[in-house]
Amino acid sequence: LDARQVNTGRFSLFFPETRNFFLQDAASYEFGGQVYRNTPNGLPFFTRRIGIVDGAPVDIVAGAKISGKAGAFNIGAISARTGAQGALDGQTLSAIRVSRNVLAESKVGVIATHGDPQGEATNTVYGADFQYRNSSLIGDGQTLVDVAYLRSEDDPDGPEGNRSGNFAGVRAAYVGDLWNTRLNFQHLGEDYAPRLGFANRTGIRRYRAVGFRNWRVNGERIRNIETGAYGIVVTDLDDRALDRDYGIFGEIENNVGDGVEFEIGRAYEEILEPFDIAGELPVAAGRYRFNTYEFGLYTAEARPVSVGAFVFGGGSYNGRRIGVSGSIDFRPSRFFRLAAEYEFERFDLETGALGIHIATVNNTIAFKPDMTLKTDLQYDNISETFTVFSRFAWEPIPTRELFVSLGHSAFIDRENFPQRYRAQASGAAIRLGYTFRL
């Protein structure tokens, strides 16, 4: 079950993989190191492209993967055949990643993918990366430099013709106990199209810089104080600034782990094409400047009951935006957990007003370390969709598992919540698994 998200921006959202088959040995396909840490835009391989097209599931007729080590090389390979659905023909989707550890702490590798889940082109992506790590170059901290290059190519005989594009990314960082810096650069060509990956904004260059310092107080009450600043600039390929975002942030944490944090920023966005916030509230093309802020309080997760509360907002497209979110996590023992989250966000613009509500409840019961029951409930007033999903998992030995899931979804009219309840679908699944390790 995906964590509920509402798209209030211009570009498509990224939903992390949640399916167990694809999560197993996912590190074998990791590419680029920290190049994608702050934005997944440009990923060459994203397993959610297999079996999901435009947010809807399609059949996976068969799939196989292999991962592990062969001598000095780390290898991950996967191939799957999806079924036909409506006008969409079945597709064969494949990816391979090979890497090798070099120097004392570093890694070099290559990746290649082939296939288009939507059947619009015969697409191939290939590239290489180098992940440099050195824990003794500067003081007691770690120096990291990640470099990645990719090229995507469509079959010239396909419906979109001979389309090809490049991606390049560099991230340099110093991670220390007191001082920390991050420098990022990404270039995404206009025609870069990793159809088995993820790219929601191309034809840009993105620059990001972050620096912050920690003060280890080690007092009776305060453990750590952190302050820093950040700056983000997005340009087109002619180096004309499209977006700018810069600001300061800070955090104070006590010895238990309770804390308070804040962030104050100044943003500029040039909207080239009109769009709708959450698909409902129009935003016209133009140039917008506004201030942003966020303030939050939280308690340590080690407490039997932990809570968090945040306020955020500021200007928004010649209007105002304000939001609040809260969470509570109840863990009376290692066998039981109950958590709830709620977020409200309101936009007041010249074109109208919109309020967004998202609520989730999660429960975990651990009968034994190898036997759990997890239940999730979610609702948002934009899709007007309510979902409940339960998953029972039992792994009596590490290579065998029993998995049972029950799900139900319904529409609840936000104008008559919660009276207007209309069931949409229910489903159940049982999976038996046996893992062979060679």
Side-chain angles (χ1 to χ4, degrees):
L1 181 68
D2 293 320
R4 192 62 54 90
Q5 299 185 63
V6 172
N7 192 350
T8 60
R10 293 172 281 164
F11 311 107
S12 58
L13 297 175
F14 180 82
F15 288 86
E17 180 62 84
T18 59
R19 296 169 295 175
N20 190 56
F21 175 80
F22 295 104
L23 290 175
Q24 290 175 341
D25 303 319
S28 299
Y29 307 95
E30 181 273 328
F31 176 85
Q34 301 293 310
V35 166
Y36 300 102
R37 177 170 179 173
N38 303 108
T39 169
N41 189 21
L43 278 173
F45 180 53
F46 182 35
T47 54
R48 280 183 64 97
R49 297 299 189 202
I50 301 175
I52 301 176
V53 176
D54 293 330
V58 298
D59 290 340
I60 300 177
V61 178
K65 67 177 180 178
I66 184 171
S67 57
K69 295 182 68 68
F73 294 93
N74 309 296
I75 298 175
I78 187 169
S79 186
R81 179 70 182 179
T82 59
Q85 183 166 313
L88 178 65
D89 295 331
Q91 303 294 320
T92 300
L93 310 171
S94 305
I96 184 169
R97 162 72 164 159
V98 179
S99 64
R100 175 174 180 163
N101 297 332
V102 296
L103 305 177
E105 307 172 56
S106 306
K107 180 168 67 175
V108 63
V110 296
I111 194 170
T113 72
H114 184 76
D116 177 8
Q118 296 184 331
E120 297 177 351
T122 302
N123 178 257
T124 300
V125 176
Y126 54 89
D129 69 329
F130 176 56
Q131 302 173 30
Y132 175 76
R133 305 287 184 270
N134 194 318
S135 300
S136 58
L137 183 64
I138 303 175
D140 296 329
Q142 186 179 41
T143 302
L144 305 88
V145 180
D146 294 327
V147 181
Y149 173 81
L150 294 160
R151 182 172 179 81
S152 70
E153 295 183 352
D154 285 352
D155 187 345
D157 296 327
E160 297 193 20
N162 188 14
R163 182 184 181 187
S164 61
N166 301 317
F167 170 93
V170 179
R171 183 180 190 271
Y174 174 76
V175 181
D177 185 55
L178 299 180
W179 291 97
N180 291 264
T181 59
R182 314 277 194 274
L183 299 172
N184 295 66
F185 167 76
Q186 289 182 327
H187 167 97
L188 291 97
E190 189 71 43
D191 293 325
Y192 175 68
R195 299 179 185 269
L196 200 51
F198 181 84
N200 61 357
R201 190 180 189 185
T202 58
I204 62 167
R205 296 187 178 105
R206 186 175 187 270
Y207 307 82
R208 182 177 184 270
V210 178
F212 59 94
R213 190 189 190 285
N214 291 315
W215 280 269
R216 305 297 185 186
V217 179
N218 293 324
E220 294 182 0
R221 297 183 178 179
I222 303 300
R223 178 176 63 185
N224 183 68
I225 300 175
E226 177 185 293
T227 58
Y230 67 90
I232 302 172
V233 177
V234 178
T235 74
D236 61 18
L237 298 182
D238 294 323
D239 295 321
R240 181 170 64 92
L242 301 176
D243 301 336
R244 291 192 297 267
D245 187 9
Y246 54 88
I248 59 174
F249 59 89
E251 182 178 16
I252 300 175
E253 194 170 85
N254 66 15
N255 288 313
V256 179
D258 309 322
V260 55
E261 61 184 35
F262 76 91
E263 182 178 306
I264 300 173
R266 176 71 174 173
Y268 164 84
E269 292 186 25
E270 181 175 352
I271 308 300
L272 301 178
E273 297 181 1
F275 76 100
D276 295 332
I277 294 176
E280 298 190 16
L281 185 60
V283 176
R287 298 176 178 178
Y288 300 92
R289 294 175 175 83
F290 45 88
N291 298 321
T292 61
Y293 64 86
E294 179 177 331
F295 177 80
L297 299 165
Y298 60 89
T299 61
E301 294 184 358
R303 295 182 183 276
V305 179
S306 60
V307 298
F310 296 85
V311 178
F312 54 92
S316 179
Y317 309 116
N318 292 339
R320 301 292 300 173
R321 165 181 169 264
I322 188 170
V324 295
S325 66
S327 64
I328 182 169
D329 199 335
F330 176 55
R331 295 181 302 277
S333 74
R334 68 181 187 273
F335 303 106
F336 184 87
R337 178 187 180 190
L338 179 64
E341 297 182 11
Y342 170 75
E343 181 176 329
F344 170 73
E345 190 172 4
R346 180 177 175 85
F347 293 86
D348 288 289
L349 309 183
E350 297 172 341
T351 54
L354 177 66
I356 300 172
H357 301 263
I358 304 175
T360 64
V361 177
N362 312 107
N363 173 241
T364 301
I365 301 174
F367 303 100
K368 300 188 299 181
D370 58 6
M371 183 185 295
T372 59
L373 175 64
K374 297 182 179 181
T375 303
D376 299 281
L377 294 86
Q378 301 185 17
Y379 176 78
D380 76 86
N381 69 321
I382 301 301
S383 69
E384 299 181 310
T385 302
F386 168 80
T387 56
V388 56
F389 192 59
S390 290
R391 302 169 301 282
F392 173 81
W394 180 34
E395 191 175 9
I397 60 176
T399 59
R400 299 177 187 177
E401 67 171 354
L402 168 65
F403 185 92
V404 181
S405 66
L406 301 171
H408 176 74
S409 63
F411 288 114
I412 304 179
D413 189 329
R414 69 189 187 201
E415 301 298 332
N416 296 282
F417 179 88
Q419 290 82 6
R420 295 291 299 275
Y421 181 98
R422 187 170 77 254
Q424 180 185 14
S426 298
I430 299 176
R431 186 181 76 221
L432 300 174
Y434 190 96
T435 300
F436 298 90
R437 296 194 179 273
L438 305 178

